């Protein structure tokens, strides 16, 4: 589906991408992660044709795109938390209508597609609003619908969940998980939330100073650099016994229990089942691992490898 060979790009005299090469198969969902300034957004913009590499070769599907080719690639949707597609001075419904014409979607197909998307993204109430009157989360839901109307073959999501509340975020992630099973679509996804990456992606590319530092499955990354999860649980009365569970640590303060655990050793559901069998639970809070901490572990691992050479 997607082939990049020796792609390099500089902006304002600074190297952003340095000889980047990889292949993404059809229907694969790939997470692109890295610190701020690692080159993630630049890489996605090159895939869309918004930016042109100085060196290298790019192929999307059957289309071979050399660096001198100015043509925008078709069947690609790029949805970004900081690059908006909606027109600022017209209603959301009018932006969507322009998108339908631009993509050449037949009216009946467009209406059917919108009804399906609206069930997930729930934007009916925003159709007569101007984009600047919406909250960030509301606007991103509209941006996502706009970008998905044409049923793109390649979907680039660059921090596209920003501003969404937890319930809507999980509803949308469930939608993308279903789309992966039913539609011919390849997804590239950037996020600072490890839970999102782990839920949606089959594979991870880690960019570091414009180069690929890690390329492998989510299972490989978690297995090597396993980030720790944390549960905060308030119980009504009896403190349960944790001695038989493979936890990293647990701290008890009155009726509050803080549990730190490795999901490679024990699943969240197993911990909750163990606790519920012994006592009544009043409140549960799950703290997902910080992606920056996971990346930091990878950097530390790389430094140890480099030092041993």
């Amino acid at each position: 589906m997607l082939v990049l060979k020796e792609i390099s790009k500089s902006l304002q005299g600074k190297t952003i991408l340095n000889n980047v090469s990889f292949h993404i198969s059809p229907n694969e969902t790939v997470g692109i992660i890295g610190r701020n300034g690692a080159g993630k957004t630049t890489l996605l913009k090159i895939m869309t044709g918004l930016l042109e590499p100085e060196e290298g070769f790019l192929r999307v599907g059957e289309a071979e795109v050399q660096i001198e080719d100015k043509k925008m690639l078709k069947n690609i949707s790029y949805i970004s938390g900081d690059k908006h597609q909606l027109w600022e001075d017209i209603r959301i419904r009018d932006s969507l209508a322009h998108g339908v014409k631009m993509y050449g979607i037949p009216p009946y197909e467009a209406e059917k597609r919108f009804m399906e998307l609206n069930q997930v993204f729930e934007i009916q109430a925003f159709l007569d609003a101007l984009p600047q009157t919406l909250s960030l989360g509301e606007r991103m839901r509209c941006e996502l619908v706009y970008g998905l109307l044409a049923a793109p073959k390649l979907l680039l999501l660059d921090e596209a969940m920003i501003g969404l509340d937890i319930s809507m975020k999980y509803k949308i992630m469930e939608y993308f998980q279903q789309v992966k099973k039913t539609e011919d679509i390849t997804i590239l996804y950037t996020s600072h939330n490890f839970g999102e990456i782990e839920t949606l992606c089959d594979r991870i590319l880690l960019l570091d100073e414009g180069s690929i530092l890690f390329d492998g499955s989510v299972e490989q990354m978690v297995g090597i650099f396993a980030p720790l999860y944390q549960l905060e649980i308030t119980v009504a009365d009896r403190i349960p016994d944790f001695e038989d569970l493979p936890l990293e640590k647990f701290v008890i303060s009155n009726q509050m229990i803080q549990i730190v655990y490795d999901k490679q050793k024990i699943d969240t559901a197993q911990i909750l089942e163990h606790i519920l069998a012994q006592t009544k639970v009043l409140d549960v809070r799950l703290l997902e691992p910080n992606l920056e901490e996971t990346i930091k572990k990878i950097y530390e691992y790389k430094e140890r490898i480099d030092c041993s050479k």
Side-chain angles (χ1 to χ4, degrees), residues 174-192:
E174 287 178 2
Y175 166 76
F176 282 127
Q177 286 178 297
Q178 185 61 34
V179 163
K180 287 167 58 177
K181 299 175 183 178
T182 59
E183 296 186 17
D184 179 18
I185 187 170
T186 302
I187 302 174
L188 273 70
Y189 189 84
T190 76
S191 175
H192 287 286

Side-chain angles (χ1 to χ4, degrees), residues 4-20 37-39 41-47 49-56 67 70 209-211:
L4 281 81
K5 291 185 178 180
E6 301 177 351
I7 294 290
S8 294
K9 180 66 178 178
S10 297
L11 293 173
Q12 299 178 343
K14 180 182 178 181
T15 299
I16 306 299
L17 297 174
N18 182 23
N19 202 33
V20 172
T41 296
T42 299
L43 183 60
L44 294 186
K45 287 183 176 180
I46 284 174
M47 295 179 197
L50 292 172
L51 284 178
E52 193 174 286
E54 285 139 15
E55 298 178 6
I67 60 174
K70 305 292 184 181
E209 297 181 350
S211 299

Side-chain angles (χ1 to χ4, degrees), residues 141-158:
R141 283 150 62 184
C142 296
E143 294 277 354
L144 284 159
V145 170
Y146 182 96
L148 291 166
L149 271 176
K153 301 297 184 184
L154 177 61
L155 179 62
L156 310 177
L157 299 173
D158 189 7

Side-chain angles (χ1 to χ4, degrees), residues 126-169:
F126 313 140
L127 292 180
D128 290 316
L130 296 176
Q132 62 263 33
T133 67
L134 302 177
S135 70
L136 178 57
E138 291 167 347
R139 174 164 185 153
M140 287 312 303
R141 283 150 62 184
C142 296
E143 294 277 354
L144 284 159
V145 170
Y146 182 96
L148 291 166
L149 271 176
K153 301 297 184 184
L154 177 61
L155 179 62
L156 310 177
L157 299 173
D158 189 7
E159 296 290 349
M161 299 284 194
I162 188 170
L164 298 178
D165 62 56
I166 295 296
S167 60
M168 179 56 67
K169 181 183 294 187

